PDB file of all heavy atoms in Angstrom:
ATOM      1  N   SER A 358       4.442  34.350  13.826  1.00 96.00           N
ATOM      2  CA  SER A 358       3.409  35.143  14.486  1.00 96.00           C
ATOM      3  C   SER A 358       2.135  34.320  14.587  1.00 96.00           C
ATOM      4  O   SER A 358       1.785  33.594  13.647  1.00 96.00           O
ATOM      5  CB  SER A 358       3.151  36.405  13.649  1.00 96.00           C
ATOM      6  OG  SER A 358       1.847  36.881  13.830  1.00 96.00           O
ATOM      7  N   PRO A 359       1.400  34.443  15.693  1.00 97.00           N
ATOM      8  CA  PRO A 359       0.125  33.727  15.784  1.00 97.00           C
ATOM      9  C   PRO A 359      -0.866  34.189  14.715  1.00 97.00           C
ATOM     10  O   PRO A 359      -1.706  33.401  14.280  1.00 97.00           O
ATOM     11  CB  PRO A 359      -0.376  34.039  17.195  1.00 97.00           C
ATOM     12  CG  PRO A 359       0.384  35.244  17.619  1.00 97.00           C
ATOM     13  CD  PRO A 359       1.691  35.210  16.901  1.00 97.00           C
ATOM     14  N   LEU A 360      -0.735  35.417  14.260  1.00 97.00           N
ATOM     15  CA  LEU A 360      -1.635  35.897  13.203  1.00 97.00           C
ATOM     16  C   LEU A 360      -1.279  35.276  11.857  1.00 97.00           C
ATOM     17  O   LEU A 360      -2.165  35.055  11.026  1.00 97.00           O
ATOM     18  CB  LEU A 360      -1.613  37.432  13.129  1.00 97.00           C
ATOM     19  CG  LEU A 360      -2.156  38.128  14.378  1.00 97.00           C
ATOM     20  CD1 LEU A 360      -2.049  39.638  14.231  1.00 97.00           C
ATOM     21  CD2 LEU A 360      -3.591  37.715  14.675  1.00 97.00           C
ATOM     22  N   THR A 361      -0.005  34.965  11.648  1.00 97.00           N
ATOM     23  CA  THR A 361       0.390  34.246  10.435  1.00 97.00           C
ATOM     24  C   THR A 361      -0.163  32.832  10.470  1.00 97.00           C
ATOM     25  O   THR A 361      -0.690  32.331   9.467  1.00 97.00           O
ATOM     26  CB  THR A 361       1.927  34.224  10.288  1.00 97.00           C
ATOM     27  OG1 THR A 361       2.399  35.576  10.214  1.00 97.00           O
ATOM     28  CG2 THR A 361       2.359  33.461   9.056  1.00 97.00           C
ATOM     29  N   ALA A 363      -2.827  31.941  12.095  1.00 98.00           N
ATOM     30  CA  ALA A 363      -4.281  32.083  11.922  1.00 98.00           C
ATOM     31  C   ALA A 363      -4.632  32.326  10.458  1.00 98.00           C
ATOM     32  O   ALA A 363      -5.662  31.837   9.973  1.00 98.00           O
ATOM     33  CB  ALA A 363      -4.814  33.218  12.798  1.00 98.00           C
ATOM     34  N   TYR A 421      -3.199  28.495  20.936  1.00 98.00           N
ATOM     35  CA  TYR A 421      -4.520  29.109  21.032  1.00 98.00           C
ATOM     36  C   TYR A 421      -4.448  30.441  21.777  1.00 98.00           C
ATOM     37  O   TYR A 421      -4.974  31.457  21.305  1.00 98.00           O
ATOM     38  CB  TYR A 421      -5.515  28.169  21.720  1.00 98.00           C
ATOM     39  CG  TYR A 421      -6.756  28.878  22.178  1.00 98.00           C
ATOM     40  CD1 TYR A 421      -7.692  29.354  21.251  1.00 98.00           C
ATOM     41  CD2 TYR A 421      -6.979  29.129  23.522  1.00 98.00           C
ATOM     42  CE1 TYR A 421      -8.815  30.042  21.660  1.00 98.00           C
ATOM     43  CE2 TYR A 421      -8.108  29.813  23.941  1.00 98.00           C
ATOM     44  CZ  TYR A 421      -9.020  30.272  23.013  1.00 98.00           C
ATOM     45  OH  TYR A 421     -10.124  30.970  23.418  1.00 98.00           O
ATOM     46  N   LYS A 422      -3.803  30.442  22.921  1.00 98.00           N
ATOM     47  CA  LYS A 422      -3.721  31.669  23.727  1.00 98.00           C
ATOM     48  C   LYS A 422      -2.953  32.768  23.011  1.00 98.00           C
ATOM     49  O   LYS A 422      -3.338  33.936  23.065  1.00 98.00           O
ATOM     50  CB  LYS A 422      -3.096  31.370  25.091  1.00 98.00           C
ATOM     51  CG  LYS A 422      -4.021  30.608  26.008  1.00 98.00           C
ATOM     52  CD  LYS A 422      -3.362  30.308  27.343  1.00 98.00           C
ATOM     53  CE  LYS A 422      -4.296  29.576  28.278  1.00 98.00           C
ATOM     54  NZ  LYS A 422      -3.629  29.242  29.561  1.00 98.00           N
ATOM     55  N   ARG A 423      -1.887  32.389  22.321  1.00 98.00           N
ATOM     56  CA  ARG A 423      -1.127  33.389  21.551  1.00 98.00           C
ATOM     57  C   ARG A 423      -2.005  33.998  20.456  1.00 98.00           C
ATOM     58  O   ARG A 423      -1.983  35.202  20.231  1.00 98.00           O
ATOM     59  CB  ARG A 423       0.132  32.761  20.935  1.00 98.00           C
ATOM     60  CG  ARG A 423       1.238  32.513  21.934  1.00 98.00           C
ATOM     61  CD  ARG A 423       2.466  31.887  21.277  1.00 98.00           C
ATOM     62  NE  ARG A 423       2.966  32.729  20.203  1.00 98.00           N
ATOM     63  CZ  ARG A 423       3.487  32.250  19.066  1.00 98.00           C
ATOM     64  NH1 ARG A 423       3.570  30.956  18.854  1.00 98.00           N
ATOM     65  NH2 ARG A 423       3.933  33.073  18.147  1.00 98.00           N
ATOM     66  N   GLY A 424      -2.771  33.146  19.772  1.00 97.00           N
ATOM     67  CA  GLY A 424      -3.672  33.647  18.725  1.00 97.00           C
ATOM     68  C   GLY A 424      -4.797  34.486  19.290  1.00 97.00           C
ATOM     69  O   GLY A 424      -5.114  35.554  18.766  1.00 97.00           O
ATOM     70  N   ARG A 425      -5.375  34.031  20.365  1.00 97.00           N
ATOM     71  CA  ARG A 425      -6.480  34.760  21.008  1.00 97.00           C
ATOM     72  C   ARG A 425      -6.029  36.125  21.506  1.00 97.00           C
ATOM     73  O   ARG A 425      -6.764  37.105  21.422  1.00 97.00           O
ATOM     74  CB  ARG A 425      -7.015  33.939  22.180  1.00 97.00           C
ATOM     75  CG  ARG A 425      -8.177  34.583  22.913  1.00 97.00           C
ATOM     76  CD  ARG A 425      -8.426  33.942  24.253  1.00 97.00           C
ATOM     77  NE  ARG A 425      -7.279  34.157  25.122  1.00 97.00           N
ATOM     78  CZ  ARG A 425      -7.043  33.480  26.221  1.00 97.00           C
ATOM     79  NH1 ARG A 425      -7.860  32.513  26.608  1.00 97.00           N
ATOM     80  NH2 ARG A 425      -5.975  33.738  26.957  1.00 97.00           N
ATOM     81  N   ASN A 426      -4.813  36.207  22.012  1.00 96.00           N
ATOM     82  CA  ASN A 426      -4.322  37.445  22.604  1.00 96.00           C
ATOM     83  C   ASN A 426      -3.615  38.376  21.621  1.00 96.00           C
ATOM     84  O   ASN A 426      -3.229  39.478  21.996  1.00 96.00           O
ATOM     85  CB  ASN A 426      -3.381  37.125  23.773  1.00 96.00           C
ATOM     86  CG  ASN A 426      -4.101  36.412  24.889  1.00 96.00           C
ATOM     87  OD1 ASN A 426      -5.312  36.543  25.058  1.00 96.00           O
ATOM     88  ND2 ASN A 426      -3.367  35.631  25.665  1.00 96.00           N
ATOM     89  N   ALA A 427      -3.450  37.933  20.378  1.00 96.00           N
ATOM     90  CA  ALA A 427      -2.753  38.752  19.382  1.00 96.00           C
ATOM     91  C   ALA A 427      -3.564  40.005  19.068  1.00 96.00           C
ATOM     92  O   ALA A 427      -4.788  39.974  18.985  1.00 96.00           O
ATOM     93  CB  ALA A 427      -2.515  37.941  18.109  1.00 96.00           C
ATOM     94  N   LYS A 428      -2.876  41.092  18.921  1.00 89.00           N
ATOM     95  CA  LYS A 428      -3.532  42.367  18.600  1.00 89.00           C
ATOM     96  C   LYS A 428      -3.714  42.467  17.091  1.00 89.00           C
ATOM     97  O   LYS A 428      -2.761  42.399  16.339  1.00 89.00           O
ATOM     98  CB  LYS A 428      -2.698  43.547  19.096  1.00 89.00           C
ATOM     99  CG  LYS A 428      -2.425  43.518  20.582  1.00 89.00           C
ATOM    100  CD  LYS A 428      -3.695  43.675  21.390  1.00 89.00           C
ATOM    101  CE  LYS A 428      -3.408  43.731  22.866  1.00 89.00           C
ATOM    102  NZ  LYS A 428      -4.136  42.760  23.642  1.00 89.00           N
ATOM    103  N   THR A 429      -4.968  42.609  16.670  1.00 83.00           N
ATOM    104  CA  THR A 429      -5.263  42.702  15.245  1.00 83.00           C
ATOM    105  C   THR A 429      -5.756  44.106  14.908  1.00 83.00           C
ATOM    106  O   THR A 429      -6.380  44.769  15.733  1.00 83.00           O
ATOM    107  CB  THR A 429      -6.347  41.690  14.835  1.00 83.00           C
ATOM    108  OG1 THR A 429      -7.521  41.952  15.589  1.00 83.00           O
ATOM    109  CG2 THR A 429      -5.898  40.259  15.069  1.00 83.00           C
ATOM    110  N   ALA A 430      -5.480  44.515  13.687  1.00 76.00           N
ATOM    111  CA  ALA A 430      -5.904  45.846  13.239  1.00 76.00           C
ATOM    112  C   ALA A 430      -7.351  45.844  12.752  1.00 76.00           C
ATOM    113  O   ALA A 430      -7.983  46.878  12.668  1.00 76.00           O
ATOM    114  CB  ALA A 430      -4.972  46.332  12.126  1.00 76.00           C
ATOM    115  N   THR A 431      -7.855  44.662  12.438  1.00 78.00           N
ATOM    116  CA  THR A 431      -9.214  44.558  11.907  1.00 78.00           C
ATOM    117  C   THR A 431     -10.021  43.569  12.730  1.00 78.00           C
ATOM    118  O   THR A 431      -9.470  42.834  13.541  1.00 78.00           O
ATOM    119  CB  THR A 431      -9.201  44.072  10.444  1.00 78.00           C
ATOM    120  OG1 THR A 431      -8.597  42.775  10.405  1.00 78.00           O
ATOM    121  CG2 THR A 431      -8.447  45.024   9.538  1.00 78.00           C
ATOM    122  N   MET A 438     -15.915  41.177  19.740  1.00 93.00           N
ATOM    123  CA  MET A 438     -14.453  41.136  19.887  1.00 93.00           C
ATOM    124  C   MET A 438     -14.030  39.826  20.560  1.00 93.00           C
ATOM    125  O   MET A 438     -13.046  39.199  20.163  1.00 93.00           O
ATOM    126  CB  MET A 438     -13.956  42.332  20.706  1.00 93.00           C
ATOM    127  CG  MET A 438     -12.448  42.363  20.890  1.00 93.00           C
ATOM    128  SD  MET A 438     -11.519  42.397  19.341  1.00 93.00           S
ATOM    129  CE  MET A 438     -11.667  44.119  18.915  1.00 93.00           C
ATOM    130  N   TYR A 441     -14.271  37.067  18.005  1.00 95.00           N
ATOM    131  CA  TYR A 441     -13.232  37.241  16.995  1.00 95.00           C
ATOM    132  C   TYR A 441     -11.876  36.789  17.525  1.00 95.00           C
ATOM    133  O   TYR A 441     -11.130  36.080  16.835  1.00 95.00           O
ATOM    134  CB  TYR A 441     -13.168  38.701  16.541  1.00 95.00           C
ATOM    135  CG  TYR A 441     -12.193  38.921  15.421  1.00 95.00           C
ATOM    136  CD1 TYR A 441     -12.436  38.428  14.143  1.00 95.00           C
ATOM    137  CD2 TYR A 441     -10.999  39.608  15.645  1.00 95.00           C
ATOM    138  CE1 TYR A 441     -11.531  38.620  13.114  1.00 95.00           C
ATOM    139  CE2 TYR A 441     -10.095  39.797  14.619  1.00 95.00           C
ATOM    140  CZ  TYR A 441     -10.362  39.310  13.358  1.00 95.00           C
ATOM    141  OH  TYR A 441      -9.458  39.499  12.354  1.00 95.00           O
ATOM    142  N   ARG A 442     -11.567  37.153  18.753  1.00 96.00           N
ATOM    143  CA  ARG A 442     -10.274  36.762  19.331  1.00 96.00           C
ATOM    144  C   ARG A 442     -10.195  35.247  19.542  1.00 96.00           C
ATOM    145  O   ARG A 442      -9.175  34.622  19.260  1.00 96.00           O
ATOM    146  CB  ARG A 442     -10.022  37.506  20.632  1.00 96.00           C
ATOM    147  CG  ARG A 442      -9.710  38.972  20.401  1.00 96.00           C
ATOM    148  CD  ARG A 442      -9.409  39.671  21.720  1.00 96.00           C
ATOM    149  NE  ARG A 442      -9.154  41.075  21.514  1.00 96.00           N
ATOM    150  CZ  ARG A 442      -7.954  41.596  21.283  1.00 96.00           C
ATOM    151  NH1 ARG A 442      -6.905  40.816  21.224  1.00 96.00           N
ATOM    152  NH2 ARG A 442      -7.816  42.885  21.110  1.00 96.00           N
ATOM    153  N   THR A 445      -9.707  33.635  16.234  1.00 97.00           N
ATOM    154  CA  THR A 445      -8.320  33.798  15.784  1.00 97.00           C
ATOM    155  C   THR A 445      -7.431  32.758  16.463  1.00 97.00           C
ATOM    156  O   THR A 445      -6.550  32.166  15.826  1.00 97.00           O
ATOM    157  CB  THR A 445      -7.817  35.223  16.068  1.00 97.00           C
ATOM    158  OG1 THR A 445      -8.669  36.158  15.387  1.00 97.00           O
ATOM    159  CG2 THR A 445      -6.379  35.414  15.595  1.00 97.00           C
ATOM    160  N   GLY A 446      -7.683  32.495  17.736  1.00 98.00           N
ATOM    161  CA  GLY A 446      -6.944  31.448  18.438  1.00 98.00           C
ATOM    162  C   GLY A 446      -7.194  30.081  17.831  1.00 98.00           C
ATOM    163  O   GLY A 446      -6.268  29.285  17.652  1.00 98.00           O
ATOM    164  N   ALA A 449      -5.350  29.871  14.615  1.00 98.00           N
ATOM    165  CA  ALA A 449      -3.910  29.719  14.856  1.00 98.00           C
ATOM    166  C   ALA A 449      -3.570  28.253  15.132  1.00 98.00           C
ATOM    167  O   ALA A 449      -2.572  27.740  14.625  1.00 98.00           O
ATOM    168  CB  ALA A 449      -3.459  30.609  16.013  1.00 98.00           C
TER     169      ALA A 449
END
Side-chain angles (χ1 to χ4, degrees):
S358 153
L360 295 178
T361 300
Y421 164 70
K422 287 179 179 178
R423 285 180 58 216
R425 181 195 64 197
N426 296 334
K428 302 295 184 235
T429 59
T431 61
M438 181 58 79
Y441 185 70
R442 288 182 182 270
T445 301

